[in-house]
Amino acid sequence: MQLKSLKQFARIQQTAFSLEDFDGIQHFPECGGIGIFVGTVRNHHQGKAVRALKYTAYAPVAEKMIREIEQQIQTKYQVSYVRVVHRIGELGIGETAIIAMAYAAHRREAFAACEEAVERVKHEVPVWKEEFYMDGSSQYVEGCCIRKDHGPETDYSYPTEDVHCHHHHVAHACQSPSN
């Protein structure tokens, strides 16, 4: 099997990024499923109008941890590709804060790998979010969860109380001609 020449990029970035920054599915002919999550800044949180966010991170540790999470998930789900990029700095409404992508033979593994990658990055990696509100106040907020309905089959955990998600679920793309 020929080794793939993949893009090298930081997982913690201060500049805007997009799906085009990731390696393309054409490098993975064994894959028929793509799981994608794009988290953007929304204009409200718990009844308050949000003006902007600021993400900060301890970048050397955050970078290492994201790469380790990617490797662990790739092994766990036997997927060909898992990448997560998280933005730091000041972000306005509608800007992309995080993108996770997974390529797998089938959609189920791609979706599961993508979801776990986002959950683990949001709950394990030292990235902090400060929200700035229209009334002039601000506060640091805890990481969010996307779903609360996972059963005991998952290896990751997050609060089951009422948690408000800070990202907007943009897309799950799936190509599965063989599924």
Side-chain angles (χ1 to χ4, degrees):
M1 183 170 150
Q2 180 184 2
L3 291 177
K4 300 169 179 80
S5 177
L6 301 179
K7 295 179 182 178
Q8 300 300 313
F9 54 88
R11 302 317 194 260
I12 298 292
Q13 295 188 16
Q14 200 148 12
T15 57
F17 50 82
S18 70
L19 294 173
E20 289 75 35
D21 295 325
F22 291 76
D23 295 287
I25 189 73
Q26 69 273 14
H27 298 290
F28 303 91
E30 72 279 12
C31 295
I34 302 172
I36 300 171
F37 175 83
V38 178
T40 62
V41 179
R42 69 169 187 260
N43 67 357
H44 64 93
H45 177 104
Q46 295 182 340
K48 294 185 92 170
V50 173
R51 177 178 52 81
L53 298 181
K54 181 178 181 182
Y55 284 100
T56 55
Y58 183 52
V61 172
E63 183 79 26
K64 181 180 179 197
M65 289 179 74
I66 291 173
R67 290 174 187 273
E68 288 173 356
I69 288 168
E70 290 170 350
Q71 290 174 348
Q72 291 165 2
I73 290 172
Q74 191 169 344
T75 300
K76 177 179 177 179
Y77 292 98
Q78 294 298 297
V79 298
S80 297
Y81 184 84
V82 178
R83 296 292 182 275
V84 181
V85 179
H86 202 298
R87 177 101 179 266
I88 58 172
E90 294 181 20
L91 285 76
I93 304 304
E95 287 192 72
T96 299
I98 186 171
I99 297 177
M101 186 177 295
Y103 299 157
H106 304 284
R107 66 184 174 275
R108 186 175 313 269
E109 294 83 5
F111 287 154
C114 185
E115 181 177 25
E116 185 167 336
V118 172
E119 292 295 335
R120 290 194 55 198
V121 166
K122 296 307 286 180
H123 293 282
E124 296 174 24
V125 177
V127 175
W128 300 279
K129 175 169 59 173
E130 184 176 10
E131 289 184 335
F132 296 89
Y133 304 108
M134 296 299 266
D135 67 7
S137 66
S138 69
Q139 74 174 7
Y140 281 90
V141 294
E142 293 184 28
C144 74
C145 67
I146 298 169
R147 295 176 55 178
K148 297 183 286 187
D149 62 340
H150 280 283
E153 72 279 356
T154 58
D155 290 341
Y156 58 99
S157 62
Y158 44 87
T160 56
E161 66 272 7
D162 186 29
V163 177
H164 297 276
C165 190
H166 306 290
H167 293 292
H168 175 70
H169 184 245
V170 174
H172 270 288
C174 184
Q175 298 173 347
S176 53
S178 62
N179 292 358

